[in-house]
Amino acid sequence: TGKGIISEKLDKYTLNFDTTSFFQVNTLQAENLFKYAASLVDGAKSILELYSGVGSLTCYLADKCEHVTSIEEWRSAVKMAERNLKLNNLGERVNTLCGKSEELIEDLELRNYDAVVLDPPRDGCNRAVLNAIKDMNINKIVYVSCNPATLARDCKILAGFNYKLKSLRAFDMFPQTAHVETVAMLEKF
């Protein structure tokens, strides 16, 4: 019953999402994760964010740079992201695109981004996404992962494209379980 919309407060941001969209349930730790991930792109003017969901991390990124292009394939989540960005007065800084990252990123290959932020589902990034990042020659990658195995796989692929793992930090989202969220930062060498 009700409106089917849940509202959470992370730091200064109010975020709404519906029951079909993903949202971190450990909001205190999500705040720490998002602050940390955004700190890794501090100083970037233009950021490409893939697998952006309802815009939780997008809000933190938009506060750190001039422009974010966010891509999410779940239409309901994109609508919520647009609503959340407007609600938090960040809509002018973000261009939201609805579609699969591996399909839309090809249209962005001629654009210049200082960093790319990835937060893929458990199965990691589509290989076409990693290939496009290589072709775009983006210097910095921030990769948020809920699956250490696919993070390792994707980092190995990126290492083959001359990216070096510079930092790795785990966030215990579900205490007393084996599950963590990890934030990796890679740079082109």
Side-chain angles (χ1 to χ4, degrees):
T1 65
K3 296 178 184 178
I5 302 292
I6 301 166
S7 185
E8 284 285 351
K9 187 92 169 153
L10 296 182
D11 290 318
K12 63 183 179 179
Y13 309 111
T14 300
L15 298 159
N16 297 298
F17 55 100
D18 65 19
T19 56
T20 69
S21 298
F22 175 80
F23 196 85
Q24 292 287 358
V25 294
N26 184 338
T27 55
L28 292 176
Q29 199 62 320
E31 286 178 13
N32 294 329
L33 185 149
F34 296 151
K35 281 182 198 173
Y36 178 72
S39 77
L40 295 175
V41 295
D42 204 8
K45 290 185 178 182
S46 184
I47 296 171
L48 175 60
E49 181 191 18
L50 306 178
Y51 315 100
S52 58
V54 299
S56 305
L57 178 54
T58 314
C59 288
Y60 287 81
L61 297 173
D63 255 349
K64 293 281 186 184
C65 72
E66 293 176 14
H67 184 263
V68 177
T69 299
S70 72
I71 298 177
E72 170 58 47
E73 73 175 289
W74 190 246
R75 182 160 304 283
S76 178
V78 173
K79 288 179 183 177
M80 286 288 111
E82 290 169 345
R83 181 176 171 177
N84 290 331
L85 292 163
K86 186 176 180 181
L87 181 65
N88 291 288
N89 298 313
L90 296 167
E92 297 294 320
R93 292 186 182 180
V94 181
N95 179 30
T96 56
L97 301 174
C98 184
K100 292 185 176 192
S101 293
E102 60 269 21
E103 294 171 3
L104 295 181
I105 196 169
E106 292 176 11
D107 295 334
L108 303 174
E109 285 188 10
L110 297 177
R111 296 195 186 169
N112 228 354
Y113 294 100
D114 300 313
V116 62
V117 177
L118 309 166
D119 191 358
R122 290 196 72 72
D123 56 352
C125 290
N126 183 294
R127 180 64 187 250
V129 168
L130 301 176
N131 289 337
I133 290 169
K134 173 192 68 146
D135 293 343
M136 293 172 83
N137 203 29
I138 298 173
N139 288 326
K140 185 180 282 189
I141 301 169
V142 175
Y143 192 132
V144 180
S145 176
C146 63
N147 186 344
T150 56
L151 173 64
R153 179 201 69 206
D154 292 349
C155 284
K156 182 177 180 181
I157 293 167
L158 291 166
F161 299 152
N162 295 323
Y163 284 93
K164 183 175 183 178
L165 183 64
K166 300 296 269 185
S167 69
L168 191 67
R169 185 169 174 187
F171 291 82
D172 191 1
M173 302 299 281
F174 300 99
Q176 300 175 8
T177 73
H179 299 285
V180 295
E181 290 275 330
T182 306
V183 178
M185 198 262 288
L186 301 98
E187 288 184 340
K188 193 98 169 168
F189 65 90

